């Protein structure tokens, strides 16, 4: 099935939603959707479903199911971000309001532009951002296909983002230098232990960024050297987070959001993966396993 066909089926309430608690069941039923409790879904069936996961125990079970499942799943792993009903509702509303045809066309166009870059990509904006991105000969990228393969699990962000990743090691795909002015952040934790250890610092950072007018990071050799919020050096808050366990403050992703429909109403006080897809540029640190993943997101810097 093509991604766009999945999306139209979701909009028309023809795709079931897998959920892991009763409160979510109530919300999605009110929206007119068929819901299936996680424990009752048959992963051996060759069908397509949308999964919303709010609990780490089900998060881990979903990952295990991905190795043997015959179903194709698009998932919102809300527990990695904020699993509160209000934030899940915000994320789902932003998904339904997307012009996915436009987003996929833009996603593909950006990937084509990246493929044409020989080794250096330069990005600017009117606020003073200036990034030099050195690209390797072989790039690790997010999903570039428009087709959903049987048995595969996909994040909703794959539909709305063109991304280059440093998965193998630091600078395996790219290296960034420069200054990056941004509008907001999101963060993700791959397990409950990482979230518990870092929740206070992450909450402080999200709120501080959302309330600040001028915010930027200085980057040298693919690593954050300074975080400045309204003239105050806030780098220490990043150093309090568990990044010593995973790549330190080096960048693991540079991505380009393709969702133009949330440009004017994105809420930076909300930690939602849907904010990552806003039309613009984001750069991320961490791997979300031993340490949190943080995206710094700019709506003013665009590759096009």
């Amino acid at each position: 099935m093509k991604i766009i066909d999945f999306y139209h089926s979701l909009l028309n309430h023809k795709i079931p939603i897998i959920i892991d608690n009763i409160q979510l069941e109530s919300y999605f039923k009110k929206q007119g959707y068929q819901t299936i409790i996680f424990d009752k879904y048959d992963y051996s069936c060759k069908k397509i479903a949308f999964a919303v996961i709010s609990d780490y125990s089900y998060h881990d079970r979903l990952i295990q199911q991905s190795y043997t499942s015959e179903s194709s799943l698009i998932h919102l792993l809300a527990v990695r971000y904020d699993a509160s009903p209000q934030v899940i509702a915000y994320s789902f509303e932003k998904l339904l309001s997307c012009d996915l045809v436009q987003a996929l066309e833009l996603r593909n166009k950006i990937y084509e532009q990246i493929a044409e870059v020989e080794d250096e990509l330069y990005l600017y904006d009117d606020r003073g951002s200036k990034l030099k991105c050195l690209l390797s000969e072989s790039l690790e990228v997010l999903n570039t296909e428009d087709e959903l393969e049987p048995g595969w699990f996909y994040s909703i962000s794959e539909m709305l983002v063109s991304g280059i990743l440093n998965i193998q090691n630091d600078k395996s795909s790219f290296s960034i230098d420069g200054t990056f002015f941004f509008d907001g952040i999101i963060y993700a934790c791959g397990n409950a232990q990482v979230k518990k250890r870092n929740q206070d610092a992450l909450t402080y950072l999200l709120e501080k960024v959302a309330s600040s007018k001028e915010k930027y990071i200085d980057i040298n050799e693919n690593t954050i050297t300074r975080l400045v919020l309204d003239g105050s050096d806030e780098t220490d808050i990043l150093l309090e987070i568990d990044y010593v366990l995973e790549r330190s403050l080096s960048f693991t992703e540079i991505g380009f959001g393709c969702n133009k429909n949330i440009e004017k109403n994105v809420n930076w006080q909300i930690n939602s993966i849907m904010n990552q897809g806003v039309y613009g540029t984001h750069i991320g640190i961490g791997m979300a396993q031993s340490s949190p993943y943080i995206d710094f997101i700019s709506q003013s810097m665009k590759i096009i």
Side-chain angles (χ1 to χ4, degrees):
M1 177 182 281
K2 291 187 177 298
I3 292 174
I4 194 64
D5 293 331
F6 156 81
Y7 187 64
H8 288 153
S9 294
L10 182 67
L11 290 177
N12 292 317
H13 302 84
K14 295 180 179 179
I15 294 289
I17 298 180
I18 301 169
I19 46 90
D20 58 6
N21 71 58
I22 300 301
Q23 194 170 15
L24 288 179
E25 182 178 38
S26 175
Y27 167 74
F28 284 111
K29 281 189 173 180
K30 286 181 180 178
Q31 309 306 312
Y33 287 92
Q34 173 196 359
T35 60
I36 304 175
I37 295 292
F38 186 100
D39 297 312
K40 296 183 178 180
Y41 184 75
D42 180 9
Y43 288 89
S44 66
C45 68
K46 295 182 179 180
K47 296 182 179 180
I48 292 182
F50 183 69
V52 180
I53 305 300
S54 64
D55 182 275
Y56 274 114
S57 64
Y58 285 100
H59 169 279
D60 296 343
R61 289 172 62 187
L62 186 73
I63 301 302
Q64 288 300 315
Q65 289 285 359
S66 69
Y67 300 119
T68 58
S69 175
E70 295 293 327
S71 294
S72 296
L73 255 66
I74 310 292
H75 57 66
L76 168 62
L77 300 182
V79 66
R80 288 190 174 191
Y81 300 85
D82 185 335
S84 66
Q86 296 84 357
V87 173
I88 289 175
Y90 170 92
S91 300
F92 194 64
E93 288 165 9
K94 293 293 178 284
L95 174 61
L96 296 185
S97 67
C98 174
D99 182 341
L100 193 60
V101 172
Q102 180 187 62
L104 290 174
E105 289 175 351
L106 183 56
R107 186 193 72 165
N108 293 337
K109 184 177 181 181
I110 291 173
Y111 275 129
E112 289 173 1
Q113 287 183 284
I114 292 171
E116 293 173 357
V117 175
E118 292 188 3
D119 56 3
E120 296 181 358
L121 177 65
Y122 292 89
L123 299 167
Y124 309 89
D125 69 16
D126 293 336
R127 293 188 288 187
S129 294
K130 183 179 180 181
L131 290 186
K132 176 183 178 181
C133 184
L134 298 178
L135 302 181
S136 301
E137 290 185 8
S138 179
L139 301 180
E140 301 167 279
V141 298
L142 293 173
N143 179 36
T144 63
E145 302 299 322
D146 292 332
E147 194 84 21
L148 298 174
E149 296 295 332
W152 286 66
F153 288 11
Y154 302 87
S155 167
I156 56 172
S157 64
E158 294 179 44
M159 303 185 219
L160 302 171
V161 170
S162 301
I164 309 172
L165 310 172
N166 285 332
I167 297 295
Q168 294 181 4
N169 52 64
D170 188 26
K171 304 181 185 178
S172 56
S173 287
F174 69 86
S175 178
I176 303 173
D177 287 278
T179 298
F180 183 72
F181 284 81
F182 60 98
D183 298 293
I185 68 167
I186 62 169
Y187 61 83
C189 299
N191 58 71
Q193 293 74 28
V194 170
K195 181 172 281 191
K196 183 177 180 180
R197 289 197 307 265
N198 297 282
Q199 187 66 74
D200 289 346
L202 292 168
T203 299
Y204 169 83
L205 185 60
L206 182 77
E207 293 175 351
K208 182 71 173 178
V209 166
S211 64
S212 298
K213 293 183 179 179
E214 183 183 70
K215 33 219 168 181
Y216 66 89
I217 46 179
D218 290 325
I219 306 160
N220 183 51
E221 290 289 331
N222 205 49
T223 298
I224 296 176
T225 58
R226 192 166 63 134
L227 166 65
V228 178
L229 303 177
D230 282 345
S232 176
D233 190 327
E234 295 282 351
T235 315
D236 283 349
I237 193 63
L238 293 176
L239 299 176
E240 291 179 14
I241 301 172
D242 285 345
Y243 288 111
V244 68
L245 303 177
E246 196 173 66
R247 299 279 182 91
S248 189
L249 300 182
S250 67
F251 285 95
T252 55
E253 179 184 359
I254 177 167
F256 305 96
C258 303
N259 186 2
K260 292 185 175 183
N261 278 18
I262 65 169
E263 284 185 284
K264 295 181 179 180
N265 60 359
V266 59
N267 187 340
W268 296 116
Q269 296 178 331
I270 289 180
N271 184 36
S272 166
I273 192 175
M274 293 304 296
N275 289 351
Q276 181 195 61
V278 66
Y279 186 42
T281 300
H282 58 269
I283 50 179
I285 59 174
M287 302 286 288
Q289 298 303 316
S290 300
S291 65
Y293 175 84
I294 295 180
D295 260 333
F296 300 86
I297 307 168
S298 167
Q299 292 182 246
S300 59
M301 180 183 282
K302 300 175 175 68
I303 196 170
I304 298 177

